[in-house]
Amino acid sequence: FLVSAPTVSADTYKVSTAEFPEARAIAGLVKEVYREIGHDMELVFRPAKRSLVDVNSGKFDAELARINGAELEYPNLVRVEEPVFALSFSAIVKADSNIWLSSWDEMAKHRIGYPRGYRIMDIRTRNMKAVQAKDAPSIAKMVKGGRFDIGLIITSDAQKLASEDSAITVLTPPVETVTLYHYVNVKHRRLIPSIEDVLIKFNDSGRSKELLYQPK
């Protein structure tokens, strides 16, 4: 006989994120994960802090990629335990600077600037002479102008800015590398086991790297 299977409708989930160099690559991976579980994904760009607030309120369905612990401040966010990316932060200084860094304690001696919206930087620079600024280019200008001794920004941003301006340089190695996780609003928590299963499969098979680093 002919038996008709029930039709499962595909939902479109709005996934919010701040704009950063790796965001679109990570979105490509997450979009494929959602496709694997039978849904579509729409990417929405928001300021970093606003993005978390909007996902926590339920205005958007998920947060693309954040560090572990975002749920402590935003209790309606539920973390998918399998990671989606590892993100590194680097220090930029004037090219003629003699600053070198071996630890966070060493950094505490200097005036520091970092972009708004990075919770990890809020935590790491607590009780230091640290100031938030608009974005990575603003940080670079203020380092170059002498307002900050050190700028803390995403490594890919740091390398790009240093390649465009010989007056600043990137200290190596990166200051810290953090693991990023996908978060969903609590109302979608039942999606998490399926998302985790696909991410584990993709990470173990190498599919994640293919999606993250495929030519654009």
Side-chain angles (χ1 to χ4, degrees), residues 1 6 29 51 79 96 150 159 162 172 186 192 210-211 216:
F1 339 97
L29 165 61
S51 181
R79 181 167 62 92
D96 59 0
I150 297 168
Q159 293 169 340
T172 56
V186 65
I192 288 179
E210 290 176 2
L211 291 164
K216 299 296 185 291

Side-chain angles (χ1 to χ4, degrees), residues 122-161:
D122 296 340
I123 295 168
R124 293 291 187 265
T125 61
R126 191 172 293 153
N127 300 322
M128 295 184 186
K129 294 175 285 188
V131 177
Q132 296 182 11
K134 180 183 176 183
D135 51 24
S138 299
I139 298 291
K141 283 182 182 177
M142 285 185 269
V143 168
K144 185 178 174 181
R147 179 172 173 185
F148 300 140
D149 303 315
I150 297 168
L152 288 178
I153 57 179
I154 294 172
T155 298
S156 54
D157 277 342
Q159 293 169 340
K160 180 176 185 291
L161 289 164

Side-chain angles (χ1 to χ4, degrees), residues 101-110 128:
L101 301 173
S102 58
S103 67
W104 282 102
D105 288 340
E106 184 73 26
M107 193 176 299
K109 302 173 184 177
H110 302 284
M128 295 184 186

Side-chain angles (χ1 to χ4, degrees), residues 18-182:
E19 180 78 78
F20 62 100
E22 292 83 0
R24 294 182 192 279
I26 298 172
L29 165 61
V30 174
K31 187 177 181 70
E32 186 67 11
V33 170
Y34 275 77
R35 191 194 67 78
E36 281 276 314
I37 64 173
H39 299 296
D40 295 324
M41 188 205 91
E42 178 185 336
L43 190 64
V44 180
F45 286 101
R46 301 288 282 157
K49 182 93 170 178
R50 189 75 243 169
S51 181
L52 287 166
V53 170
D54 286 345
V55 177
N56 189 67
S57 72
K59 180 176 180 179
F60 299 122
D61 300 304
E63 175 72 35
L64 182 67
R66 291 282 178 164
I67 63 169
N68 183 20
E71 65 273 30
L72 300 178
E73 188 173 353
Y74 300 93
N76 290 332
L77 269 59
V78 185
R79 181 167 62 92
V80 177
E81 292 188 7
E82 184 70 9
V84 294
F85 200 71
L87 186 67
S88 63
F89 293 88
S90 289
I92 57 171
V93 298
K94 280 186 177 181
D96 59 0
S97 170
N98 59 3
I99 293 175
W100 63 278
L101 301 173
S102 58
S103 67
W104 282 102
D105 288 340
E106 184 73 26
M107 193 176 299
K109 302 173 184 177
H110 302 284
R111 296 169 300 160
I112 303 163
Y114 65 95
R116 294 189 190 98
Y118 289 96
R119 184 173 176 274
I120 185 66
M121 293 294 102
D122 296 340
I123 295 168
R124 293 291 187 265
T125 61
R126 191 172 293 153
N127 300 322
M128 295 184 186
K129 294 175 285 188
V131 177
Q132 296 182 11
K134 180 183 176 183
D135 51 24
S138 299
I139 298 291
K141 283 182 182 177
M142 285 185 269
V143 168
K144 185 178 174 181
R147 179 172 173 185
F148 300 140
D149 303 315
I150 297 168
L152 288 178
I153 57 179
I154 294 172
T155 298
S156 54
D157 277 342
Q159 293 169 340
K160 180 176 185 291
L161 289 164
S163 70
E164 294 170 350
D165 191 339
S166 60
I168 60 172
T169 191
V170 184
L171 300 184
T172 56
V175 174
E176 184 166 355
T177 299
V178 295
T179 303
L180 301 183
Y181 299 88
H182 187 58

